[in-house]
Amino acid sequence: MTNDVIYKVLWVDDQALENGEITSLYVGFQGTADKYNIELVPFENWEEAEYSLKKNFEEYSAIILDANCKIHKDDTEKEEFITAVLPSLTNIFGEKRRVLPWYILSAGTMSNFGNVVNGARYQHSKHEEDWGDMLYLKDTTDCEAAPEKLLENITRIAKDMAMNVVLYRHHDTFCYMGEGRLIDVRARKLMLRMLSALYYPEENIGFEYKGNPLRQVLEYLFWSALEHGLLPEECIEEENGKRRIVVQLASLFMAGGNVKFRKREDDSSKVNVTIRWGKAPSKQGRDDGDAIFPSEIAEIVNNIRKFTNEDSHTSEDEPWFIDEERKDIFFGYVLQMCHVIRWYGKYIKKHSDYDENINMINLV
């Protein structure tokens, strides 16, 4: 697997975090996890971990639980931690229609540890053939090896999970999306869901084309273009106090077209203004003018815009759906969106200077 594919693992242990600060236990365990392309996401109580799991379920590959931990933020450690957490996990798995492998990593010093483990093992046993051992002890004569065996086991399972296979196949697309990356993390989540539904429909029976996800990804790309000086503010409009991208204007501008709008000079008059990227064509009909998008990318973006234009601003009560006959077209555009994102990422590497970019926006 390429290093671009990182397996996120939710880890609940109040010794990994103290008042929100990472501890030496976390630093040491993460150091080992790095060798397996695993990113540990620590929580010191189940309340906060549960919220993250529900919100970012698709991002996680596995779950590690301490046996004696806090259920709520202001709790003390509770020996009934596992018995309280497992029903919650069952409910989440039912809602998401998918299960994640979970394990116990513990010192094993609590008074009723054996009973807790036996109760948990009953639920774990139905998956044990695929997931491997449930229990790993921190403090044994082979204490360094036990956590490492757990990480090896998680990696073995994670690399074959549908989500991670998608990330591997399209690592050159996902490398441009995420926290602190070129395109917003929300676009990454949308692309991951759509591509997972394409490759593994049997695992995504509940997938809905809700909220027009393909158009949302296109808009996140345009927001990134705005941040890098590749789009003028005139491609933004304000509605009910919220700024939004005017997709038609943004795609036209980046394709080298002239964007016309009415600019208020004062309270009494408006003037028509036309702007474009770089120099205009030498003659009408010529294609020798400047443009950000080459013709191939411009055509793909325009086709995606047209395809997703219908009911593109629906609410949660009236989600956007497509019929069965058009799903092949939809997924065809999802793959073309991967191509656009890769092209855009490479373009920004060569044109990363905001001031140089913004100076290319000219009045006609």
Side-chain angles (χ1 to χ4, degrees):
M1 299 290 277
T2 174
N3 288 334
D4 286 327
V5 181
I6 303 296
Y7 309 126
K8 281 192 175 183
V9 175
L10 184 137
W11 181 26
V12 192
D13 191 323
D14 56 356
Q15 294 182 5
L17 286 179
E18 289 183 2
N19 299 319
E21 299 293 327
I22 61 174
T23 65
S24 58
L25 175 65
Y26 168 81
V27 173
F29 197 19
Q30 182 61 66
T32 305
D34 287 340
K35 296 188 296 184
Y36 297 92
N37 286 355
I38 289 177
E39 177 188 345
L40 299 168
V41 183
F43 294 91
E44 51 188 317
N45 61 78
W46 176 245
E47 182 180 12
E48 294 174 330
E50 181 185 41
Y51 176 80
S52 177
L53 184 61
K54 288 180 178 179
K55 183 180 179 181
N56 305 300
F57 188 83
E58 294 85 359
E59 294 288 316
Y60 289 113
S61 297
I63 300 165
I64 300 175
L65 303 169
D66 188 16
N68 187 18
C69 194
K70 299 177 182 180
I71 298 173
H72 301 288
K73 185 175 181 180
D74 298 325
D75 280 347
T76 56
E77 291 181 347
K78 293 186 180 295
E79 293 192 349
E80 62 269 24
F81 175 75
I82 293 295
T83 55
V85 167
L86 292 185
S88 177
L89 277 182
T90 300
N91 290 336
I92 294 172
F93 295 159
E95 291 171 5
K96 303 296 184 180
R97 301 184 183 184
R98 182 168 147 246
V99 296
L100 293 178
W102 55 269
Y103 303 92
I104 296 176
L105 177 65
S106 174
T109 55
M110 52 193 280
S111 58
N112 63 337
F113 183 70
N115 292 334
V116 170
V117 168
N118 289 336
R121 197 180 296 282
Y122 175 77
Q123 293 195 42
H124 194 272
S125 60
K126 66 185 75 174
H127 302 287
E128 202 147 299
E129 186 173 341
D130 296 321
W131 293 355
D133 293 337
M134 177 196 73
L135 177 63
Y136 296 84
L137 296 178
K138 299 176 184 175
D139 303 318
T140 66
T141 55
D142 195 19
C143 60
E144 292 184 0
E148 190 151 355
K149 288 177 182 176
L150 168 59
L151 297 172
E152 288 177 357
N153 203 27
I154 290 174
T155 304
R156 175 183 62 82
I157 300 164
K159 70 179 182 180
D160 293 326
M161 292 174 69
M163 172 187 68
N164 293 320
V165 172
V166 170
L167 288 172
Y168 175 67
R169 289 179 180 176
H170 295 277
H171 65 87
D172 53 355
T173 298
F174 284 100
C175 66
Y176 296 113
M177 297 180 287
E179 293 286 354
R181 297 194 179 186
L182 184 60
I183 302 174
D184 194 282
V185 66
R186 288 168 288 187
R188 176 187 175 89
K189 291 179 179 179
L190 291 167
M191 289 297 292
L192 185 56
R193 288 172 187 163
M194 290 187 288
L195 288 167
S196 294
L198 167 61
Y199 292 120
Y200 298 95
E202 69 282 359
E203 295 186 21
N204 293 273
I205 296 173
F207 175 77
E208 296 179 346
Y209 305 86
K210 190 174 181 180
N212 212 327
L214 188 55
R215 187 180 183 91
Q216 290 180 55
V217 173
L218 184 59
E219 290 185 6
Y220 284 126
L221 185 145
F222 285 141
W223 281 115
S224 173
L226 180 72
E227 292 173 3
H228 288 83
L230 299 176
L231 272 184
E233 282 287 331
E234 286 76 17
C235 292
I236 307 295
E237 69 177 16
E238 192 164 318
E239 189 175 287
N240 298 324
K242 294 184 178 180
R243 284 157 54 86
R244 72 178 187 88
I245 292 278
V246 183
V247 173
Q248 183 177 4
L249 293 183
S251 57
L252 174 64
F253 181 85
M254 294 184 72
N258 293 346
V259 173
K260 299 179 181 180
F261 65 98
R262 303 191 76 187
K263 183 177 181 181
R264 183 181 292 276
E265 292 293 326
D266 52 46
D267 292 336
S268 60
S269 65
K270 291 183 178 179
V271 294
N272 291 323
V273 177
T274 301
I275 56 175
R276 62 164 290 111
W277 175 264
K279 66 179 179 65
S282 56
K283 290 184 179 180
Q284 187 173 2
R286 289 265 187 108
D287 59 358
D288 58 348
D290 289 330
I292 298 170
F293 287 157
S295 57
E296 177 190 74
I297 298 298
E299 184 176 358
I300 293 173
V301 169
N302 198 42
N303 287 338
I304 291 174
R305 180 187 66 79
K306 290 178 180 178
F307 179 77
T308 60
N309 197 48
E310 184 180 353
D311 298 327
S312 61
H313 302 295
T314 54
S315 66
E316 283 188 276
D317 296 329
E318 298 177 348
W320 179 79
F321 291 102
I322 59 174
D323 55 48
E324 289 292 328
E325 294 182 356
R326 299 177 74 205
K327 285 184 180 179
D328 288 344
I329 301 174
F330 174 84
F331 286 120
Y333 282 132
V334 171
L335 293 173
Q336 290 183 54
M337 192 71 226
C338 290
H339 179 65
V340 172
I341 291 169
R342 288 194 301 272
W343 176 88
Y344 176 71
K346 294 173 183 176
Y347 182 89
I348 291 295
K349 285 182 179 179
K350 296 179 180 178
H351 304 84
S352 59
D353 190 298
Y354 177 88
D355 291 332
E356 287 185 7
N357 291 340
I358 207 73
N359 286 333
M360 288 289 289
I361 299 175
N362 296 319
L363 285 172
V364 177

PDB file of all heavy atoms in Angstrom, residues 220-241:
ATOM      1  N   TYR A 220     -16.512  22.883  -3.996  1.00  0.00           N
ATOM      2  CA  TYR A 220     -15.344  22.936  -3.103  1.00  0.00           C
ATOM      3  C   TYR A 220     -14.065  23.196  -3.902  1.00  0.00           C
ATOM      4  O   TYR A 220     -13.158  23.892  -3.431  1.00  0.00           O
ATOM      5  CB  TYR A 220     -15.221  21.641  -2.307  1.00  0.00           C
ATOM      6  CG  TYR A 220     -16.217  21.529  -1.173  1.00  0.00           C
ATOM      7  CD1 TYR A 220     -17.047  20.423  -1.056  1.00  0.00           C
ATOM      8  CD2 TYR A 220     -16.332  22.539  -0.223  1.00  0.00           C
ATOM      9  CE1 TYR A 220     -17.968  20.327  -0.028  1.00  0.00           C
ATOM     10  CE2 TYR A 220     -17.253  22.455   0.811  1.00  0.00           C
ATOM     11  CZ  TYR A 220     -18.070  21.342   0.904  1.00  0.00           C
ATOM     12  OH  TYR A 220     -18.984  21.243   1.927  1.00  0.00           O
ATOM     13  N   LEU A 221     -13.969  22.663  -5.120  1.00  0.00           N
ATOM     14  CA  LEU A 221     -12.809  22.945  -5.968  1.00  0.00           C
ATOM     15  C   LEU A 221     -12.772  24.439  -6.319  1.00  0.00           C
ATOM     16  O   LEU A 221     -11.711  25.070  -6.286  1.00  0.00           O
ATOM     17  CB  LEU A 221     -12.860  22.097  -7.234  1.00  0.00           C
ATOM     18  CG  LEU A 221     -11.639  22.199  -8.160  1.00  0.00           C
ATOM     19  CD1 LEU A 221     -11.348  20.843  -8.811  1.00  0.00           C
ATOM     20  CD2 LEU A 221     -11.851  23.239  -9.262  1.00  0.00           C
ATOM     21  N   PHE A 222     -13.931  25.021  -6.614  1.00  0.00           N
ATOM     22  CA  PHE A 222     -13.977  26.444  -6.943  1.00  0.00           C
ATOM     23  C   PHE A 222     -13.653  27.308  -5.717  1.00  0.00           C
ATOM     24  O   PHE A 222     -13.023  28.369  -5.856  1.00  0.00           O
ATOM     25  CB  PHE A 222     -15.345  26.817  -7.513  1.00  0.00           C
ATOM     26  CG  PHE A 222     -15.558  26.371  -8.933  1.00  0.00           C
ATOM     27  CD1 PHE A 222     -16.785  25.873  -9.356  1.00  0.00           C
ATOM     28  CD2 PHE A 222     -14.534  26.447  -9.859  1.00  0.00           C
ATOM     29  CE1 PHE A 222     -16.985  25.467 -10.672  1.00  0.00           C
ATOM     30  CE2 PHE A 222     -14.713  26.041 -11.171  1.00  0.00           C
ATOM     31  CZ  PHE A 222     -15.943  25.548 -11.577  1.00  0.00           C
ATOM     32  N   TRP A 223     -14.073  26.888  -4.523  1.00  0.00           N
ATOM     33  CA  TRP A 223     -13.691  27.637  -3.310  1.00  0.00           C
ATOM     34  C   TRP A 223     -12.170  27.651  -3.150  1.00  0.00           C
ATOM     35  O   TRP A 223     -11.577  28.651  -2.774  1.00  0.00           O
ATOM     36  CB  TRP A 223     -14.344  27.028  -2.073  1.00  0.00           C
ATOM     37  CG  TRP A 223     -15.774  27.405  -1.871  1.00  0.00           C
ATOM     38  CD1 TRP A 223     -16.864  26.579  -1.915  1.00  0.00           C
ATOM     39  CD2 TRP A 223     -16.292  28.715  -1.596  1.00  0.00           C
ATOM     40  NE1 TRP A 223     -18.023  27.285  -1.689  1.00  0.00           N
ATOM     41  CE2 TRP A 223     -17.706  28.603  -1.482  1.00  0.00           C
ATOM     42  CE3 TRP A 223     -15.714  29.973  -1.427  1.00  0.00           C
ATOM     43  CZ2 TRP A 223     -18.524  29.698  -1.210  1.00  0.00           C
ATOM     44  CZ3 TRP A 223     -16.533  31.058  -1.159  1.00  0.00           C
ATOM     45  CH2 TRP A 223     -17.912  30.920  -1.055  1.00  0.00           C
ATOM     46  N   SER A 224     -11.548  26.521  -3.453  1.00  0.00           N
ATOM     47  CA  SER A 224     -10.088  26.452  -3.399  1.00  0.00           C
ATOM     48  C   SER A 224      -9.474  27.401  -4.419  1.00  0.00           C
ATOM     49  O   SER A 224      -8.494  28.094  -4.134  1.00  0.00           O
ATOM     50  CB  SER A 224      -9.614  25.013  -3.658  1.00  0.00           C
ATOM     51  OG  SER A 224      -8.210  24.957  -3.763  1.00  0.00           O
ATOM     52  N   ALA A 225     -10.054  27.442  -5.629  1.00  0.00           N
ATOM     53  CA  ALA A 225      -9.557  28.353  -6.668  1.00  0.00           C
ATOM     54  C   ALA A 225      -9.657  29.801  -6.216  1.00  0.00           C
ATOM     55  O   ALA A 225      -8.755  30.615  -6.465  1.00  0.00           O
ATOM     56  CB  ALA A 225     -10.336  28.133  -7.963  1.00  0.00           C
ATOM     57  N   LEU A 226     -10.734  30.130  -5.534  1.00  0.00           N
ATOM     58  CA  LEU A 226     -10.898  31.493  -5.015  1.00  0.00           C
ATOM     59  C   LEU A 226      -9.795  31.809  -4.006  1.00  0.00           C
ATOM     60  O   LEU A 226      -9.203  32.902  -4.035  1.00  0.00           O
ATOM     61  CB  LEU A 226     -12.270  31.626  -4.354  1.00  0.00           C
ATOM     62  CG  LEU A 226     -12.601  32.998  -3.758  1.00  0.00           C
ATOM     63  CD1 LEU A 226     -12.867  34.018  -4.857  1.00  0.00           C
ATOM     64  CD2 LEU A 226     -13.803  32.901  -2.817  1.00  0.00           C
ATOM     65  N   GLU A 227      -9.495  30.869  -3.111  1.00  0.00           N
ATOM     66  CA  GLU A 227      -8.457  31.077  -2.097  1.00  0.00           C
ATOM     67  C   GLU A 227      -7.081  31.265  -2.717  1.00  0.00           C
ATOM     68  O   GLU A 227      -6.218  31.922  -2.139  1.00  0.00           O
ATOM     69  CB  GLU A 227      -8.429  29.891  -1.136  1.00  0.00           C
ATOM     70  CG  GLU A 227      -9.661  29.772  -0.256  1.00  0.00           C
ATOM     71  CD  GLU A 227      -9.661  28.494   0.546  1.00  0.00           C
ATOM     72  OE1 GLU A 227      -8.672  27.721   0.452  1.00  0.00           O
ATOM     73  OE2 GLU A 227     -10.643  28.242   1.265  1.00  0.00           O
ATOM     74  N   HIS A 228      -6.857  30.717  -3.905  1.00  0.00           N
ATOM     75  CA  HIS A 228      -5.550  30.807  -4.561  1.00  0.00           C
ATOM     76  C   HIS A 228      -5.489  31.902  -5.616  1.00  0.00           C
ATOM     77  O   HIS A 228      -4.538  31.955  -6.406  1.00  0.00           O
ATOM     78  CB  HIS A 228      -5.184  29.449  -5.179  1.00  0.00           C
ATOM     79  CG  HIS A 228      -4.817  28.415  -4.158  1.00  0.00           C
ATOM     80  ND1 HIS A 228      -5.760  27.676  -3.480  1.00  0.00           N
ATOM     81  CD2 HIS A 228      -3.605  28.014  -3.697  1.00  0.00           C
ATOM     82  CE1 HIS A 228      -5.149  26.843  -2.643  1.00  0.00           C
ATOM     83  NE2 HIS A 228      -3.855  27.038  -2.750  1.00  0.00           N
ATOM     84  N   GLY A 229      -6.503  32.766  -5.651  1.00  0.00           N
ATOM     85  CA  GLY A 229      -6.471  33.894  -6.573  1.00  0.00           C
ATOM     86  C   GLY A 229      -6.819  33.558  -7.995  1.00  0.00           C
ATOM     87  O   GLY A 229      -6.557  34.354  -8.903  1.00  0.00           O
ATOM     88  N   LEU A 230      -7.425  32.398  -8.219  1.00  0.00           N
ATOM     89  CA  LEU A 230      -7.767  31.979  -9.571  1.00  0.00           C
ATOM     90  C   LEU A 230      -9.192  32.345  -9.957  1.00  0.00           C
ATOM     91  O   LEU A 230      -9.582  32.158 -11.108  1.00  0.00           O
ATOM     92  CB  LEU A 230      -7.576  30.462  -9.723  1.00  0.00           C
ATOM     93  CG  LEU A 230      -6.152  29.938  -9.496  1.00  0.00           C
ATOM     94  CD1 LEU A 230      -6.132  28.429  -9.574  1.00  0.00           C
ATOM     95  CD2 LEU A 230      -5.184  30.534 -10.516  1.00  0.00           C
ATOM     96  N   LEU A 231      -9.969  32.827  -8.996  1.00  0.00           N
ATOM     97  CA  LEU A 231     -11.332  33.265  -9.267  1.00  0.00           C
ATOM     98  C   LEU A 231     -11.542  34.653  -8.685  1.00  0.00           C
ATOM     99  O   LEU A 231     -11.040  34.945  -7.601  1.00  0.00           O
ATOM    100  CB  LEU A 231     -12.351  32.311  -8.629  1.00  0.00           C
ATOM    101  CG  LEU A 231     -12.828  31.095  -9.414  1.00  0.00           C
ATOM    102  CD1 LEU A 231     -13.902  30.358  -8.609  1.00  0.00           C
ATOM    103  CD2 LEU A 231     -13.365  31.454 -10.775  1.00  0.00           C
ATOM    104  N   PRO A 232     -12.291  35.501  -9.356  1.00  0.00           N
ATOM    105  CA  PRO A 232     -12.607  36.819  -8.792  1.00  0.00           C
ATOM    106  C   PRO A 232     -13.789  36.729  -7.834  1.00  0.00           C
ATOM    107  O   PRO A 232     -14.604  35.796  -7.917  1.00  0.00           O
ATOM    108  CB  PRO A 232     -12.977  37.634 -10.040  1.00  0.00           C
ATOM    109  CG  PRO A 232     -13.565  36.615 -10.972  1.00  0.00           C
ATOM    110  CD  PRO A 232     -12.808  35.339 -10.733  1.00  0.00           C
ATOM    111  N   GLU A 233     -13.891  37.688  -6.959  1.00  0.00           N
ATOM    112  CA  GLU A 233     -15.001  37.741  -6.012  1.00  0.00           C
ATOM    113  C   GLU A 233     -16.352  37.863  -6.728  1.00  0.00           C
ATOM    114  O   GLU A 233     -17.388  37.557  -6.156  1.00  0.00           O
ATOM    115  CB  GLU A 233     -14.824  38.924  -5.062  1.00  0.00           C
ATOM    116  CG  GLU A 233     -13.815  38.698  -3.958  1.00  0.00           C
ATOM    117  CD  GLU A 233     -14.332  37.730  -2.897  1.00  0.00           C
ATOM    118  OE1 GLU A 233     -15.560  37.670  -2.687  1.00  0.00           O
ATOM    119  OE2 GLU A 233     -13.508  37.041  -2.281  1.00  0.00           O
ATOM    120  N   GLU A 234     -16.320  38.327  -7.977  1.00  0.00           N
ATOM    121  CA  GLU A 234     -17.560  38.477  -8.733  1.00  0.00           C
ATOM    122  C   GLU A 234     -18.234  37.135  -9.023  1.00  0.00           C
ATOM    123  O   GLU A 234     -19.388  37.104  -9.454  1.00  0.00           O
ATOM    124  CB  GLU A 234     -17.280  39.212 -10.053  1.00  0.00           C
ATOM    125  CG  GLU A 234     -17.020  40.696  -9.889  1.00  0.00           C
ATOM    126  CD  GLU A 234     -15.628  40.990  -9.337  1.00  0.00           C
ATOM    127  OE1 GLU A 234     -14.760  40.082  -9.380  1.00  0.00           O
ATOM    128  OE2 GLU A 234     -15.413  42.123  -8.853  1.00  0.00           O
ATOM    129  N   CYS A 235     -17.535  36.038  -8.806  1.00  0.00           N
ATOM    130  CA  CYS A 235     -18.134  34.713  -8.983  1.00  0.00           C
ATOM    131  C   CYS A 235     -18.795  34.216  -7.697  1.00  0.00           C
ATOM    132  O   CYS A 235     -19.210  33.060  -7.612  1.00  0.00           O
ATOM    133  CB  CYS A 235     -17.081  33.705  -9.445  1.00  0.00           C
ATOM    134  SG  CYS A 235     -16.474  34.021 -11.117  1.00  0.00           S
ATOM    135  N   ILE A 236     -18.858  35.099  -6.702  1.00  0.00           N
ATOM    136  CA  ILE A 236     -19.512  34.793  -5.430  1.00  0.00           C
ATOM    137  C   ILE A 236     -20.739  35.677  -5.290  1.00  0.00           C
ATOM    138  O   ILE A 236     -20.720  36.846  -5.663  1.00  0.00           O
ATOM    139  CB  ILE A 236     -18.566  35.069  -4.235  1.00  0.00           C
ATOM    140  CG1 ILE A 236     -17.232  34.345  -4.417  1.00  0.00           C
ATOM    141  CG2 ILE A 236     -19.225  34.682  -2.918  1.00  0.00           C
ATOM    142  CD1 ILE A 236     -17.324  32.855  -4.414  1.00  0.00           C
ATOM    143  N   GLU A 237     -21.812  35.107  -4.775  1.00  0.00           N
ATOM    144  CA  GLU A 237     -22.974  35.922  -4.448  1.00  0.00           C
ATOM    145  C   GLU A 237     -23.408  35.624  -3.024  1.00  0.00           C
ATOM    146  O   GLU A 237     -23.120  34.542  -2.491  1.00  0.00           O
ATOM    147  CB  GLU A 237     -24.121  35.690  -5.427  1.00  0.00           C
ATOM    148  CG  GLU A 237     -24.782  34.338  -5.342  1.00  0.00           C
ATOM    149  CD  GLU A 237     -25.960  34.217  -6.296  1.00  0.00           C
ATOM    150  OE1 GLU A 237     -26.066  35.050  -7.219  1.00  0.00           O
ATOM    151  OE2 GLU A 237     -26.769  33.294  -6.113  1.00  0.00           O
ATOM    152  N   GLU A 238     -24.054  36.601  -2.415  1.00  0.00           N
ATOM    153  CA  GLU A 238     -24.496  36.449  -1.033  1.00  0.00           C
ATOM    154  C   GLU A 238     -26.000  36.270  -1.009  1.00  0.00           C
ATOM    155  O   GLU A 238     -26.738  37.002  -1.659  1.00  0.00           O
ATOM    156  CB  GLU A 238     -24.083  37.674  -0.208  1.00  0.00           C
ATOM    157  CG  GLU A 238     -24.244  37.466   1.284  1.00  0.00           C
ATOM    158  CD  GLU A 238     -23.487  38.506   2.105  1.00  0.00           C
ATOM    159  OE1 GLU A 238     -22.341  38.828   1.738  1.00  0.00           O
ATOM    160  OE2 GLU A 238     -24.061  38.988   3.088  1.00  0.00           O
ATOM    161  N   GLU A 239     -26.419  35.253  -0.251  1.00  0.00           N
ATOM    162  CA  GLU A 239     -27.843  34.952  -0.164  1.00  0.00           C
ATOM    163  C   GLU A 239     -28.178  34.611   1.275  1.00  0.00           C
ATOM    164  O   GLU A 239     -27.604  33.686   1.851  1.00  0.00           O
ATOM    165  CB  GLU A 239     -28.165  33.764  -1.090  1.00  0.00           C
ATOM    166  CG  GLU A 239     -29.640  33.490  -1.248  1.00  0.00           C
ATOM    167  CD  GLU A 239     -29.878  32.375  -2.265  1.00  0.00           C
ATOM    168  OE1 GLU A 239     -29.716  32.622  -3.473  1.00  0.00           O
ATOM    169  OE2 GLU A 239     -30.197  31.258  -1.828  1.00  0.00           O
ATOM    170  N   ASN A 240     -29.087  35.367   1.861  1.00  0.00           N
ATOM    171  CA  ASN A 240     -29.481  35.168   3.265  1.00  0.00           C
ATOM    172  C   ASN A 240     -28.271  35.191   4.204  1.00  0.00           C
ATOM    173  O   ASN A 240     -28.172  34.393   5.144  1.00  0.00           O
ATOM    174  CB  ASN A 240     -30.230  33.847   3.427  1.00  0.00           C
ATOM    175  CG  ASN A 240     -31.518  33.810   2.620  1.00  0.00           C
ATOM    176  OD1 ASN A 240     -32.201  34.837   2.499  1.00  0.00           O
ATOM    177  ND2 ASN A 240     -31.843  32.646   2.079  1.00  0.00           N
ATOM    178  N   GLY A 241     -27.338  36.096   3.895  1.00  0.00           N
ATOM    179  CA  GLY A 241     -26.170  36.250   4.749  1.00  0.00           C
ATOM    180  C   GLY A 241     -25.090  35.213   4.526  1.00  0.00           C
ATOM    181  O   GLY A 241     -24.082  35.208   5.238  1.00  0.00           O
TER     182      GLY A 241
END
